[in-house]
Amino acid sequence: MAILAPALVFVVLSGCFTRSGYAAEPVAKLPTPWKAGVAKVVVTPEKGVWLAGYGSKRPPDGKLHDLWVKVLAIEDEKGRRAVMITSDFQGVPKGMSDRVFAQLKQKYGLDRHQVMLTFSHNHCGPRLGDDLVDYYPVEAEQVKLVDEYTSAMVEKLVTVVGESLTKLAPASLRMGAGKTTFAVNRRNNPEAKVPDLLASGTPLAGPVDHSVPVLSVTGAEGNLVAVLFGYACHPTTLSFMTWCGDYPGFAQLELEKSHQGATAMFVNTCGGDQNPLPRRTVELCERYGKMLATAVDEALEQPLKPVSSGLRTAFEYVELPYLQVVTRAELIAAREDKSPIRARWAARMLGKLDAGETFAVSYPYPVHAWRLGNEMVVIGLGAETVVDYALRFKREFGLGTWVCGYVDDMISYIPSRRVWEEGGYEGGSNLFEYGRPALRWAGDIEDRIAATVHKLVKTNEE
């Protein structure tokens, strides 16, 4: 059942508006039909939690810059609120986010439909809970460290949301968009060939979304309080063992440097099949961060569209069926697989069967739809959605539509029908990597998600 929220919270930036290289006068005072509050906290691990992703043991060897969780709280003129959280995490599992949602309800009265917990999918961020649990060798000390760090992050997330609510103050919201082009459809462009294709001017293949949606938050005096921005691309420029936020981290640092006192926040839109290419060097990572920051600044320099007061939020889980639940016989065979990830997954799944567990035939997929005024629709989708989802929903719901992937739960890749039929890594039999009791989703996955999105958007119009 769709649930309507009485309020909304976004991550916000606070401070004076400045341009890169020099300070500028605050922008002219604007009407302030909203209230907004922003807060942030460092979440860089202090102990030896491994870096997440890439299917291997990855002990940290230092940091380029800190990792952050940031929160934007907004409230409309009728007192309706909600919460958006952004983070430099690789992936937040359901077992962690559910704990956060429960405590936010208990402490601040925020219902499930009022909160989006987003993660950039940064591969230079830490392990959390049971996300990608079979990716890593099982070591007792590491399990303990990850459990302790995850519990600490639950507490930090709840606390920083509370702080943002205490800072609610009159504000205006304005929206716009920029563009940057370093995201490449990795399914259609072999990584090794991309530099030569770019150098020769050969057009790259496959769908992309190079738009950079921007939401500015300004205070009663016209000062820039926050800038929330997005892009559809994996934060996988780097693959070493050093803490940093990858290109989104560098983009946020660049924006906060050029807009002193403001907090910059990043959401990964639908970059499940998009990579920053070429990649693998810090120089490239910094370059992409500056390219993204420049796109945000170019949007801020244009006339932005005011977002009128009025907030409606809705949320629903939709069950996504598996094509076929894995059998004991298949698991016994997979336990001897040459892939250590598949072998660990099979052994763990067999342990569940031996303990009397029955595998679910589907998974609850989180879908959000928020409406801000008459101008803006924000759709939030769980896990690694491919770019087709953003392109589709922006086409169907028009200008002012944001489609955010990597929300609430790092479930798996979420293919469109096109990608499912094509197969390959994002659309094929790789659910075992995410610990699911199956190898593939059923083919109607896009239809189920789209039907729920349309239902929730319509609910917010009523």
Side-chain angles (χ1 to χ4, degrees), residues 194-361:
V194 168
D196 289 340
L197 291 172
L198 292 173
S200 67
T202 303
L204 300 180
V208 295
D209 182 6
H210 286 157
S211 64
V212 179
V214 173
L215 178 72
S216 73
V217 183
T218 55
E221 299 303 315
N223 56 302
L224 186 67
V225 176
V227 58
L228 178 70
F229 63 101
Y231 193 54
C233 187
H234 262 72
T236 52
T237 321
L238 301 172
S239 56
F240 57 13
M241 312 294 191
T242 307
W243 300 123
C244 76
D246 207 273
Y247 77 81
F250 283 110
Q252 290 172 82
L253 289 172
E254 186 76 13
L255 287 165
E256 291 179 0
K257 178 181 177 181
S258 62
H259 300 280
Q260 292 292 320
T263 301
M265 301 173 64
F266 172 83
V267 293
N268 197 331
T269 52
C270 292
D273 52 353
Q274 310 291 305
N275 271 358
L277 296 177
R279 56 180 179 165
R280 307 298 186 190
T281 70
V282 174
E283 179 184 8
L284 283 169
C285 195
E286 291 178 328
R287 182 191 306 172
Y288 296 151
K290 288 183 179 179
M291 290 172 66
L292 183 53
T294 296
V296 174
D297 270 332
E298 289 174 349
L300 292 174
E301 290 167 359
Q302 301 301 314
L304 297 173
K305 186 171 185 177
V307 179
S308 57
S309 182
L311 176 65
R312 299 288 297 274
T313 67
F315 170 83
E316 186 169 302
Y317 281 115
V318 54
E319 290 294 325
L320 299 184
Y322 301 121
L323 186 63
Q324 179 181 333
V325 174
V326 71
T327 66
R328 178 180 287 273
E330 290 170 329
L331 290 171
I332 291 171
R335 188 171 53 187
E336 308 303 320
D337 198 279
K338 292 181 179 179
S339 164
I341 298 174
R342 188 186 288 264
R344 284 192 290 265
W345 165 76
R348 190 171 59 83
M349 291 291 107
L350 284 168
K352 289 178 176 290
L353 290 179
D354 291 343
E357 185 172 329
T358 300
F359 295 146
V361 298

Side-chain angles (χ1 to χ4, degrees), residues 378-395:
V378 182
I379 295 165
L381 303 175
E384 301 206 58
T385 46
V386 298
V387 74
D388 291 353
Y389 284 95
L391 298 176
R392 172 178 178 167
F393 293 134
K394 288 196 290 184
R395 183 175 65 251

